[in-house]
Amino acid sequence: MSQVLCIRGGHPLRGAVVAQGSKNATLPIMAAALLLKGGKLRLKRVPNLLDIATMADLLKYLGVCVDFDNHEMSIDVPEEISWETPPSLVRKMRASSLVLGPLLSRCGKAVLPLPGGCAIGSRPIDLHLKGLSKMGASIEVAHGAVTAEARELRGTRIYLDFPSVGATENVLMAAVFAKGETLIENAAREPEIANLAQALREMGADISGEGTGIIRIRGVDALHDAEVEIIPDRIEASTYLLAGVITGGEVTVKGVILEHLDALLAKLEEAGATVARNEGEVKAYVKNKLHSINVKTLPYPGFPTDLQPQMMALLSLASGTSVIREEIFEARFLHVGDLKRMGAAIEVQGNMAIVKGCPELMGCDVKATDLRAGAALILAGLAAKGETRVHALQHIWRGYEQIEEKIASLGASLNLTEMAEEEVKW
Ligand code: EPZ
């Protein structure tokens, strides 16, 4: 038996929801707490998600106390912590690799089982390791684990071959105590990195340039207690905006930072939707049918790869043919199969998906393969005729807090139920 989300489509969603705190800002900031030696980091607006619980378990395994209640988290880090991470937790969540830089920096050593690939690609960490070794760490990869050691990390210039979010975050955290100045060039510019830099500055780090592509870090001797507010989750917020548009309704998302949504809002307007921006909130709706557009995923501020599956669901119902190019991950089209089973006309050619808009989608049994693919299938089910039953919900609960309640509050007809495997009609 497993939990399944049953959605009866065709109801226009209307109303307002508040964006959760950003999962992808919270995870690196939780890892950054490891840089404290006998200190406390308090976080506000932390989303209640499976991935956050996994990172909390990892910190606890290392000897850290983590208290989390009502979106507020307190992380108490003792003088001494372990530097060896458990395979079970690291393999559960790739973002566990974000403890590598902090552990190496404050313990002089770190052992990290190689994080597995996942449904969207192999997801190596070569750029992380290249940056750390440039700072003087000795890196050994053997028996499926990375062992990093450094008596002292030295500040240096590090050019990232690709503006990797995780590599930027790991090198940034490792540079906080490094001797001298570190320059990270071709750094990722995502807002989550700016939130991490701001959190580290609150703790006493000397960092500037985040968001510009060149981040400058001057080494300090120690960090101190701090309190940090997590930024809103731009991907979760965008997903609810798209839920309003795909169902022919009108959804307002509150508690957002508008500039973080620029790429999505521009593409929605290009496709014929109306977007109303207000202080800290945004509404989107479409007066008549959306028309096709072309989308290419790029590092921030380009169109986010984490919205590519959801946008594909939307364009499956637009008039005309859209072309979606996935430039960030090598295998992020696993949602195509189930969208086609719902009636979408999509042809994949390498990293390009050609989406021929169709008049309607039909509900059926579908399975989430990863977090954002699952969100896309929910959007499709909300717009489809008949009932869509979404399986493997654990992927979705990794990143969407109370998604059933939030969608139901907007007028959707859905319920959670238990189903035996044999009842499923694949
Ligand atoms: C972060 O993953 C996000 N996760 C992802 O969100 C997001 O899709 C991704 O950035 C891109 O925006 C978190 O922040 C926890 P990358 P990350 O390093 O850091 C390749 C979600 O749904 N690469 O920027 O792993 C990599 O294989 C998740 O919330 C290397 O080749 O992304 C990928 O093709 C999914 N070597 C590309 O770069 C490296 O050393 C982008 O990866 C590192 C990355």
Side-chain angles (χ1 to χ4, degrees), residues 337-344 360-364 366 377 380-381 384 388:
D338 273 344
L339 287 175
K340 288 173 75 169
R341 291 178 59 246
M342 296 178 75
E360 64 183 13
L361 295 175
M362 302 305 294
C364 67
V366 295
L377 295 173
T388 299

Side-chain angles (χ1 to χ4, degrees), residues 23-24 27-28 94-95 98 120 122-129 162-167 169 190 234 305-306 328-330 332 370-372:
K23 165 177 85 77
N24 292 349
L27 292 169
R94 171 188 164 77
L98 294 172
I120 59 178
S122 60
R123 306 193 69 184
I125 58 168
D126 56 309
L127 299 178
H128 303 231
L129 302 180
F162 178 85
S164 151
V165 171
E169 291 166 342
E190 275 69 2
R234 60 195 169 98
T305 176
D306 290 349
I328 305 294
F329 288 105
E330 70 264 31
R332 197 170 204 170
D370 67 273
L371 168 55
R372 309 302 176 184

Side-chain angles (χ1 to χ4, degrees), residues 104 126-139 149-150 152-161 171 174 178-179 181-185:
L104 177 64
D126 56 309
L127 299 178
H128 303 231
L129 302 180
K130 192 174 165 189
L132 297 176
S133 65
K134 189 99 192 295
M135 298 170 78
S138 74
I139 306 278
E149 288 189 81
E152 180 181 75
L153 290 172
R154 292 183 310 279
T156 183
R157 289 174 83 107
I158 292 165
Y159 177 82
L160 294 179
D161 298 346
V171 171
K179 284 283 167 274
E181 181 176 274
T182 301
L183 267 185
I184 308 175
E185 298 174 321

Side-chain angles (χ1 to χ4, degrees), residues 138-336:
S138 74
I139 306 278
E140 189 201 356
V141 180
H143 316 300
V146 173
T147 303
E149 288 189 81
R151 202 174 37 73
E152 180 181 75
L153 290 172
R154 292 183 310 279
T156 183
R157 289 174 83 107
I158 292 165
Y159 177 82
L160 294 179
D161 298 346
F162 178 85
S164 151
V165 171
T168 301
E169 291 166 342
N170 247 328
V171 171
L172 170 57
M173 291 187 279
V176 165
F177 296 142
K179 284 283 167 274
E181 181 176 274
T182 301
L183 267 185
I184 308 175
E185 298 174 321
N186 196 28
R189 296 162 54 185
E190 275 69 2
E192 294 75 32
I193 290 169
N195 202 186
L196 171 62
Q198 175 203 0
L200 287 165
R201 253 196 308 273
E202 289 290 325
M203 294 159 76
D206 183 345
I207 298 171
S208 59
E210 68 277 5
T212 68
I214 297 182
I215 304 177
R216 183 189 302 273
I217 308 104
R218 292 184 181 86
V220 297
D221 295 331
L223 297 185
H224 50 70
D225 295 8
E227 181 167 301
V228 175
E229 170 108 10
I230 301 295
I231 59 171
D233 192 314
R234 60 195 169 98
I235 304 301
E236 187 236 15
S238 300
T239 304
Y240 288 105
L241 278 182
L242 290 169
V245 174
I246 200 171
T247 57
E250 180 179 301
V251 168
T252 298
V253 184
K254 297 174 182 272
V256 296
I257 297 173
L258 284 172
E259 66 178 279
H260 294 171
L261 308 177
D262 276 351
L264 174 80
L265 300 182
K267 297 308 276 187
L268 274 180
E269 288 172 322
E270 184 186 335
T274 302
V275 174
R277 296 167 176 80
N278 211 323
E279 184 59 37
E281 63 179 59
V282 59
K283 174 168 72 174
Y285 55 95
V286 60
K287 295 191 183 82
N288 35 51
K289 210 169 167 54
L290 284 179
H291 54 77
S292 58
I293 55 170
N294 295 334
V295 177
K296 182 156 97 168
T297 65
L298 287 168
Y300 191 89
F303 189 88
T305 176
D306 290 349
L307 288 177
Q308 179 262 101
Q310 300 91 312
M311 190 54 122
M312 188 182 289
L314 184 75
L315 294 174
S316 298
L317 288 165
S319 60
T321 299
S322 303
V323 177
I324 297 177
R325 287 177 188 280
E326 174 53 60
E327 300 285 348
I328 305 294
F329 288 105
E330 70 264 31
R332 197 170 204 170
F333 284 147
L334 293 180
H335 42 288
V336 169

